[in-house]
Amino acid sequence: MSAPSFSLVGLGPIINRWKYFVAGAVALAAIVSIIVALLLPNVYRSTAIFIPTNPQTADPDRLLETGGQAGSKLELGGRAEDLDRVITIGESQPVAEIIIKQFNLYKHYKAGEPGDDAVDNFVLSEFSNNLSIVHNERDAIELTFMDKDKKLAAAVANALVHAIDSVNQQLTLENRRTVLNLYRQRYDYLSTSYERSRRELVGARHRYGIFGLEMQGRYMVKQLIETEAALRKAEASGGDVAGLKRSLRGLTRADGGNLINLESYVAGADSLAMFTTRVADLQGRLIAARSAFETAELSIKGRLSSVYLVQKAYPATKKFKPVRSLIVLGSMLLTFALSVVFIALLELYRYNRPGAVRPA
């Protein structure tokens, strides 16, 4: 004889015969789950939302760009590499250790003293389980931290954003310092060159007696024309020819006694023009180098943020878990299902037991 098959319809009489047992089990499960649910602490979660920027946009060489690129120096996120880098930093162990130490989570989680491998692993695991960093559909990062203390949860979330920003900046900080050092060397070199060229220009002016090329040239031409005209007139009318010749010699010869003379002017005009052009060029480059160095130094000392904070984390106004009604309802349904399975198997065993009375 084949064993009887059970169906959902056939379970009705079985449940009815065991109704007190099933009801007792479900009631006991309800009482236990209510007690457990009430003992479970409330867990709160706080979320900070931020957008990562490209850290290269904070480099001194990028900050000093001019022209058409000036409007794109600060680039907000959206790039996959920026988002992945920030998530990787946030989930890294060094950042976790910084936050654990900052908020003394060993004591908060009641794990014991740091230094023991088991204790360290427990705290890291607990911290990681309470942390969530995801890339949302709007190309922003949502950083969520959960804890029984809602104020601590918000503080940890905000501290994590700051730690991520700090580590993200460190990735390019050494390169930025190198660039700053290059700007300083360039400025020092131009400053030395400018001072040397300026001294050479001053020395050439004293040596050749040229203190203003254009105005001095006009002055000598005027004096030469007037003196020569006076000399010709004196020669014709019997004037002071010797005095005028001395004046003309003084204007034309370097050994004539005049500081300003045509011979020195002609000899030094090219040199003075070259020195003047050189000094003017170095002066312009020196001013630009000084401005570049100050801007680069300011960019490093100012520590431009590498993240754009959209929303800081605030203490939650309502708990995230546990959902006590679901715990109680779920435990009651599970107990009922297990009770039905148990009594069905028990009835099946009794039916198939040797010597059992079977219905005709």
Side-chain angles (χ1 to χ4, degrees), residues 115-167:
D116 182 78
D117 290 343
V119 172
D120 294 342
N121 290 333
F122 170 78
V123 174
L124 281 173
S125 176
E126 190 73 15
F127 178 84
S128 299
N129 292 335
N130 291 331
L131 174 64
S132 172
I133 306 178
V134 297
H135 166 210
N136 65 18
E137 67 279 0
R138 296 178 179 175
D139 287 336
I141 301 295
E142 293 185 4
L143 188 151
T144 301
F145 192 78
M146 297 181 294
D147 196 82
K148 294 180 289 185
D149 186 341
K150 57 185 177 181
K151 292 183 178 180
L152 179 65
V156 169
N158 290 323
L160 274 167
V161 175
H162 179 73
I164 291 172
D165 181 22
S166 178
V167 174

Side-chain angles (χ1 to χ4, degrees), residues 56-73 176 179-180 182-184 186 287-299 304:
Q56 292 181 352
T57 59
D59 283 350
D61 52 343
R62 291 290 299 277
L63 285 172
L64 298 173
E65 290 180 358
T66 57
Q69 299 296 326
S72 59
K73 292 175 183 176
R176 292 164 66 188
V179 172
L180 177 63
L182 291 175
Y183 281 126
R184 181 185 290 110
R186 179 168 175 258
I287 293 173
R290 178 65 182 179
S291 175
F293 171 71
E294 290 176 348
T295 304
E297 187 177 36
L298 181 63
S299 72
L304 298 177

Side-chain angles (χ1 to χ4, degrees), residues 54 79 110 169 248 311:
N54 183 356
R79 304 194 320 163
K110 300 178 182 178
Q169 291 182 52
L248 187 61
Q311 171 188 303

Side-chain angles (χ1 to χ4, degrees), residues 93-330:
Q93 183 171 336
V95 170
E97 291 176 348
I98 291 173
I99 301 301
I100 289 172
K101 181 178 180 180
Q102 179 179 348
F103 291 93
N104 194 14
L105 295 184
Y106 282 91
K107 180 179 180 181
H108 180 70
Y109 291 148
K110 300 178 182 178
E113 293 298 323
D116 182 78
D117 290 343
V119 172
D120 294 342
N121 290 333
F122 170 78
V123 174
L124 281 173
S125 176
E126 190 73 15
F127 178 84
S128 299
N129 292 335
N130 291 331
L131 174 64
S132 172
I133 306 178
V134 297
H135 166 210
N136 65 18
E137 67 279 0
R138 296 178 179 175
D139 287 336
I141 301 295
E142 293 185 4
L143 188 151
T144 301
F145 192 78
M146 297 181 294
D147 196 82
K148 294 180 289 185
D149 186 341
K150 57 185 177 181
K151 292 183 178 180
L152 179 65
V156 169
N158 290 323
L160 274 167
V161 175
H162 179 73
I164 291 172
D165 181 22
S166 178
V167 174
N168 200 27
Q169 291 182 52
Q170 292 295 326
L171 297 178
T172 59
L173 184 59
E174 194 62 33
N175 179 61
R176 292 164 66 188
R177 286 174 176 168
T178 302
V179 172
L180 177 63
N181 188 49
L182 291 175
Y183 281 126
R184 181 185 290 110
Q185 292 177 6
R186 179 168 175 258
Y187 171 74
D188 292 341
Y189 169 76
L190 289 174
S191 179
T192 302
S193 298
Y194 171 76
E195 186 59 30
R196 182 173 61 249
S197 297
R198 190 188 65 82
R199 288 197 299 266
E200 291 175 349
L201 175 61
V202 172
R205 282 174 174 171
H206 283 286
R207 183 166 60 254
Y208 295 111
I210 301 176
F211 304 99
L213 283 173
E214 185 177 354
M215 294 186 63
Q216 196 165 330
R218 292 177 181 177
Y219 165 78
M220 283 191 298
V221 170
K222 179 176 180 295
Q223 290 296 318
L224 281 170
I225 293 174
E226 292 177 351
T227 303
E228 189 172 2
L231 176 61
R232 298 292 176 261
K233 184 177 180 181
E235 288 175 343
S237 60
D240 187 10
V241 175
L244 289 173
K245 286 184 176 180
R246 286 194 302 271
S247 298
L248 187 61
R249 179 181 177 82
L251 287 171
T252 56
R253 300 291 299 273
D255 57 356
N258 286 6
L259 178 63
I260 300 175
N261 58 85
L262 183 60
E263 184 179 359
S264 296
Y265 181 85
V266 173
D270 291 339
S271 297
L272 261 293
M274 181 187 67
F275 282 131
T276 302
T277 303
R278 173 66 174 168
V279 169
D281 175 66
L282 285 173
Q283 185 178 38
R285 292 166 61 190
L286 180 63
I287 293 173
R290 178 65 182 179
S291 175
F293 171 71
E294 290 176 348
T295 304
E297 187 177 36
L298 181 63
S299 72
I300 290 182
K301 290 183 177 180
R303 297 184 65 86
L304 298 177
S305 178
S306 63
V307 299
Y308 179 79
L309 187 62
V310 178
Q311 171 188 303
K312 66 179 294 187
Y314 295 97
T317 56
K318 62 179 181 179
K319 64 181 177 63
F320 170 65
K321 62 179 183 180
V323 183
R324 292 182 172 85
S325 58
L326 291 180
I327 293 176
V328 175
L329 183 60

